[in-house]
Structures are given as C-alpha cells and as structure tokens.
Amino acid sequence: MREIVIIGGGYAGFYTAWGLEKKLRSGEARVTVIDPRPYMTYQPFLPEVTAGSVEARHAAVSLRRHLRTTRLIAGTVVEVRHADRRLTVRPVNGADHELRYDLLVVTAGAVTRTFPIPGLSGQAIGLKHVEEAVAIRDRLMTAFDQAASLPPGPERRKLLTVTFVGGGFSGVEGFGELLSLATAMLKSYPELSADDLSFHLVEARGRILPEVGDAPGAWVVRSLERRGAHVHLNTQLLSAVDGHVVLSSGEEFDSELIVWTAGNASNPVVHNHTDLPVDERGLLVVRPDLRVGTESEPVPDAWAAGDDAAVPDLAVHTPGARTVPNAQHAVRQGRLLAKNIAASLHGGKVRDYRHGSLGVVATLGLGRGIFQYKRLVIKGFPAWLMHRGYHVLAVPSWERKVRVLTVWLTAALFGRDLVSLASVQHPRDAFVTGGNPRPSVLDDASAGA
C-alpha cells in the first residue's frame, strides 16, 4: 500500500486529504496528515472572532471529525529528504522520529513574518491562529474593565490604545472589527467615552488593501478615519519597548495592545530543511499542475500547494506571475491537488491550476464592508452582507455553516456577547492563590510574552 504524506493541515492540506478520501480506492493508499494542531483554522473568520461575532471554536474545523480514514499525526516536520523518501517528525510529545513515504504533499502554510524591531517579540501578538484572536479580544475587554476604574490620564490612555501593524486584509479586517467592538462596548462603560479610545493602523506602503484598487483603498482609509481611527501610511514601526510605540514619522505613544499583521514568510521547513527546489523567496518551485519542479525538471512523487508554493498564475497571462497566497487559491488548489494525485495514480490526465478571481471582499466592522470585482465596487452594508454570505458558504461542512449562522442570528437579536474570559489563560490561579489578588492579566501577559 502506498504511503501519501501531507505536511500541514491548513486549507490546502485539509482539502487535499478530504478529496483523496473520496477519490482513492479502498486499500490503494494510506493518507497521513502531519500538523501540530488538531484542526484547520478558517482564517477569514479570525477578525470576527476578535470582535466576538464568531465563536472561536466555529472558526476551527476538526481534522478528526471530517477526515475519517486519514491518519493524523500531531507534530511538526523538521526535515524532508525527498531523495530518500524520508522525513523527520517532531511530535508534540516525545522524541523525533523518521517516517517513510511514497508520495509527498507539501501544504505547510506560511508563518508570520517579523523583523528585529526592539520590543516587538515581547509586546506584539499575531492574528494567524484562533488562540491569538481570542487573546486579542480578551485583552481589549480586560483593558476596558481596568481603564474604567482609573481616572483620566496616561495609564488609562495606554490601556485604551490599540495598534495594528500591517495594512493587508488580515490587518485591516482585524482592525475594523476590533474598532467596532470597542465602540460598541462604550455603551456599557459610562465612565469612558469615545475620546478615550485611540486606534492606530500602521502601514509601510502608501496604501492599504493592495488587493483592491487605489480608489476603494482610499475610501477604506477615509471610512476608518471617520470612525476615529488613525491611519499611518508610508510609516514603519521602529520600536515597541514596554508598549511605547515609536513610528518612523516621528510620532510616539503608549499602546497596551499591539497586533502584528505585516505579512507572511515561508515555513522554515520548506525554506531551510528540505532538498526540494525553492525560489528566491523560499517558496517551493511548482508547475501549473501542482507537481514540484519545472516543466523540464519535474520532481517525482512531490506535490505542493498553498502559501508555501510558487504556483504559476495562468489566469493573468503575465510571464512569471504567481498566484496570490490567500484562502481562495489554497482551497481550490487543494481540491485540484486531490484530483490530480488520484488521476496520476490511476493513469489518468492531470490538469493545470487555472482560477479566475471571484473578487475580493472585506469586513470593516459590524455592518461595514467593501467588495470589488474588476471595476465593480460595493461599499458599506451590502458589501458586509456579501462578506458574510460568501464565507458562510465557503467554510467547510454544513455543521460549521449552521453553527456560525446560529451565532450571527443570536447576535442580531440580542447584541454582542461582551464577556471576557481572559482568566482562562491562567485557569489554576484561583486554586493556587486561594483567592489572593495577583498581578493583572494584562501585566502578566506582557511579562510572559
């Protein structure tokens, strides 16, 4: 029996395994997915998780529940030796061990790209996983509770200052949703006012949302500024030591919550620990049919898709163009990957990946959004509805669709659930301290970051 190993259980890996379960004959091959997390994160929902519009568990799709015949290994691949058809797995618990395979699929996904900025590693948090989205929401709500008990001044101002670094989709959507949450929370805190809030979006380029046109991007900036946000374009973060933000524009301020969404980097195992061919960006060289290699030098028994693969974009007719690393491409590449692998095993014909964009849609907070398809641009509430409609259809499984819809309908009737559970990050505190006070969650989180 052939051994098919898939590195990574994200979009592309999940849909590849899901498709192979349906297309492989019984006893033909065993599919193994290696990932440290037992679920696939539906990342487009993370901004709404930060705002409490989507329950955290509903943005995670259980691998074991939906991949019924696939073997799942909780761990990380630390080295690939494709010439020997071997890889090294580092399990969540236990010692490293080798795993042999016949066919390899690399869908490891990208990691958050960071820079050696003073204070960044000790203060900032990313927005790539469910845990991070939950922590961002809880830290904001805890900051509100603490600020409400303080008089106006620098300490209160710092607690209610939020900084997002990165103006791509993840940063803008997370920023807009968290701003929407903070504005809504003011109704429950008579001690605070809109003047106490200070939200900053920092982007190194001269515009945000590069996937949309210049005019729609400028409209988003104006929309955020009308809501009281500060958008810093052509600006870089120089320092964040102890939460003191220093920008290249010369501006300085204290910020309790700093969220880093400034792009992705290739997975270290792909970039540094494999004998598979990579390009100058550290991405796997991939042919249009998703085989690793080039037309003249294909790599046998190796396939790749998703954020770590430089997949040729045949839809734009531009030499050297590569598909954008987003969920829309990763899902469709994963589905095609399953079909092509099955076809290659059965002696059938494999197909090239060619997918025209369905447009881009982003949420900017409750009831606000933007959609663009070529020259068609829709703004405001209709675009927000389109965002929700598209993603409830796109999230895998009817079970998840129903759960998400139920939460949205409940929120429409009763409003947001404004309960912070930041204490779950330290669940033993009450037991260990016997009820004695301890440092605040925010102080402790900063010290342990």
Side-chain angles (χ1 to χ4, degrees):
M1 182 185 297
R2 291 187 178 92
E3 184 74 39
I4 301 174
V5 171
I6 301 174
I7 302 176
Y11 292 115
F14 173 81
Y15 278 95
T16 299
W18 209 16
L20 286 174
E21 286 192 348
K22 302 170 186 176
K23 298 184 179 301
L24 294 180
R25 300 162 186 154
S26 177
E28 180 178 12
R30 180 172 68 172
V31 179
T32 299
V33 172
I34 304 173
D35 196 286
R37 289 178 169 82
Y39 54 81
M40 180 202 74
T41 301
Y42 190 73
Q43 291 184 350
F45 278 160
L46 294 186
E48 293 199 66
V49 171
T50 67
S53 299
V54 171
E55 288 294 329
R57 288 184 176 86
H58 299 169
V61 179
S62 170
L63 298 180
R64 291 194 177 275
R65 177 165 185 168
H66 297 287
L67 301 180
R68 301 295 180 86
T69 62
T70 298
R71 179 174 64 153
L72 300 174
I73 296 178
T76 304
V77 174
V78 295
E79 185 181 15
V80 175
R81 301 182 301 284
H82 188 67
D84 301 325
R85 302 300 190 272
R86 294 174 182 267
L87 53 79
T88 302
V89 179
R90 180 163 297 161
V92 174
N93 293 301
D96 293 2
H97 64 270
E98 284 194 345
L99 188 67
R100 294 183 60 92
Y101 62 85
D102 298 296
L103 189 149
L104 181 68
V105 180
V106 182
T107 55
V111 297
T112 300
R113 179 183 62 184
T114 59
F115 299 98
I117 297 173
L120 181 65
S121 62
Q123 297 294 323
I125 185 171
L127 184 52
K128 203 170 185 62
H129 302 290
V130 173
E131 300 91 336
E132 293 172 324
V134 172
I136 289 169
R137 177 175 183 264
D138 285 343
R139 289 188 68 178
L140 177 71
M141 300 183 77
T142 301
F144 262 71
D145 287 333
Q146 295 179 359
S149 64
L150 295 173
E155 191 172 355
R156 175 195 273 193
R157 191 179 307 115
K158 179 181 179 180
L159 284 168
L160 298 180
T161 298
V162 175
T163 305
F164 272 66
V165 183
F169 259 84
S170 178
V172 172
E173 288 191 313
F175 184 80
E177 285 287 347
L178 207 64
L179 176 59
S180 179
L181 172 63
T183 304
M185 288 175 62
L186 289 174
K187 300 176 184 178
S188 302
Y189 290 83
E191 306 92 339
L192 306 175
S193 70
D195 292 336
D196 293 313
L197 297 180
S198 186
F199 272 66
H200 299 262
L201 176 62
V202 180
E203 169 55 44
R205 292 167 292 188
R207 54 164 299 177
I208 62 175
L209 295 178
E211 294 86 350
V212 306
D214 290 342
W219 176 86
V220 173
V221 171
R222 293 193 301 271
S223 174
L224 292 173
E225 290 177 338
R226 283 195 298 268
R227 295 161 60 188
H230 307 277
V231 180
H232 308 268
L233 301 179
N234 294 311
T235 304
Q236 297 178 350
L237 175 67
L238 300 182
S239 176
V241 176
D242 296 328
H244 183 69
V245 173
V246 180
L247 303 180
S248 60
S249 61
E251 296 173 83
E252 299 185 26
F253 51 87
D254 291 329
S255 180
E256 183 62 48
L257 178 58
I258 302 173
V259 184
W260 180 269
T261 60
N264 297 322
S266 62
N267 195 291
V269 69
V270 172
H271 192 195
N272 302 319
H273 304 290
T274 175
D275 56 357
L276 296 171
V278 297
D279 66 9
E280 65 281 358
R281 297 171 297 170
L283 304 178
L284 287 171
V285 177
V286 177
R287 305 183 343 163
D289 60 7
L290 304 181
R291 296 178 192 263
V292 175
T294 63
E295 294 294 340
S296 59
E297 297 183 14
V299 178
D301 304 321
W303 304 74
D307 292 353
D308 272 325
V311 180
D313 192 343
L314 304 182
V316 300
H317 308 292
T318 302
R322 298 291 183 263
T323 56
V324 178
N326 61 22
Q328 195 175 128
H329 283 299
V331 168
R332 286 158 179 77
Q333 288 171 8
R335 288 171 174 163
L336 177 63
L337 198 49
K339 295 176 183 177
N340 279 355
I341 292 173
S344 69
L345 294 177
H346 300 156
K349 182 180 179 180
V350 299
R351 296 188 295 113
D352 288 345
Y353 178 74
R354 185 189 300 271
H355 172 68
S357 174
L358 298 176
V360 292
V361 61
T363 174
L364 304 175
L366 192 63
R368 301 176 175 91
I370 188 166
F371 168 82
Q372 180 177 8
Y373 176 71
K374 297 182 178 179
R375 294 185 178 181
L376 174 64
V377 178
I378 300 175
K379 306 170 184 175
F381 185 73
W384 177 77
L385 286 178
M386 295 172 70
H387 175 273
R388 286 205 159 182
Y390 172 80
H391 286 300
V392 80
L393 291 174
V395 66
S397 84
W398 280 103
E399 171 256 341
R400 275 295 178 265
K401 299 179 197 298
V402 172
R403 289 183 186 274
V404 170
L405 274 174
T406 301
V407 172
W408 283 343
L409 292 173
T410 303
L413 291 173
F414 302 107
R416 299 175 187 264
D417 190 342
L418 300 181
V419 176
S420 169
L421 296 178
S423 59
V424 301
Q425 298 173 35
H426 308 278
R428 298 181 62 247
D429 281 354
F431 173 75
V432 172
T433 65
N436 292 318
R438 69 184 305 277
S440 74
V441 174
L442 289 177
D443 290 342
D444 190 73
S446 298

